[in-house]
Amino acid sequence: VTGETIKWAEGLPLQPCLRLMQHLLPQLEQFCTSGNVNDETIVVDFLKTTTMVGLLPVPHPILIRKYQQNEFTSLWFTTYIWGVIYLRNQNPPYFDAQHIRLFTISYVDA
């Protein structure tokens, strides 16, 4: 395990999963020891009937951002629109999907 992997793993948002496990593990252990649990479908049915309401954190509100035009997005949008207009108005279409063949390029060290 490298230092980058450890740093990446520490940045993962695992709090909801850990909170869920801390809540469900005692319930699941009690359910399995108190009853005749001999099949995993019984455990899955038990997990389907449990609720997580109030356990997990409230999600953040969705932020709506207004589009702020800049030269790069404007250039991309203009190029995209003109490309669509060009390709839709070809007669006959030069880029027929039935006649396109894909190929791979292999590099050989010389």
Side-chain angles (χ1 to χ4, degrees):
V1 178
T2 64
E4 291 179 16
T5 307
I6 293 172
K7 186 177 179 182
W8 172 78
E10 289 173 352
L12 292 175
L14 296 177
Q15 291 301 327
C17 296
L18 294 174
R19 189 178 297 172
L20 178 67
M21 288 173 48
Q22 288 175 349
H23 177 73
L24 282 180
L25 189 61
Q27 290 182 7
L28 193 57
E29 286 177 347
Q30 181 183 6
F31 176 74
C32 290
T33 56
S34 66
N36 293 330
V37 179
N38 54 5
D39 190 16
E40 66 183 32
T41 57
I42 297 171
V43 175
V44 171
D45 290 339
F46 170 74
L47 290 175
K48 285 181 182 178
T49 59
T50 58
T51 181
M52 285 358 125
V53 175
L55 178 67
L56 299 176
V58 178
H60 298 290
I62 297 174
L63 298 176
I64 299 174
R65 295 183 180 159
K66 294 178 88 175
Y67 171 70
Q68 296 179 354
Q69 183 175 346
N70 63 36
E71 65 176 298
F72 302 110
T73 57
S74 193
L75 177 65
W76 176 86
F77 188 68
T78 304
T79 305
Y80 174 75
I81 292 297
W82 280 112
V84 169
I85 291 170
Y86 174 75
L87 291 175
R88 296 276 170 100
N89 290 306
Q90 292 181 24
N91 193 12
Y94 295 117
F95 299 107
D96 187 5
Q98 296 176 352
H99 292 89
I100 294 176
R101 294 198 178 116
L102 300 177
F103 59 92
T104 59
I105 298 174
S106 300
Y107 293 98
V108 178
D109 291 332

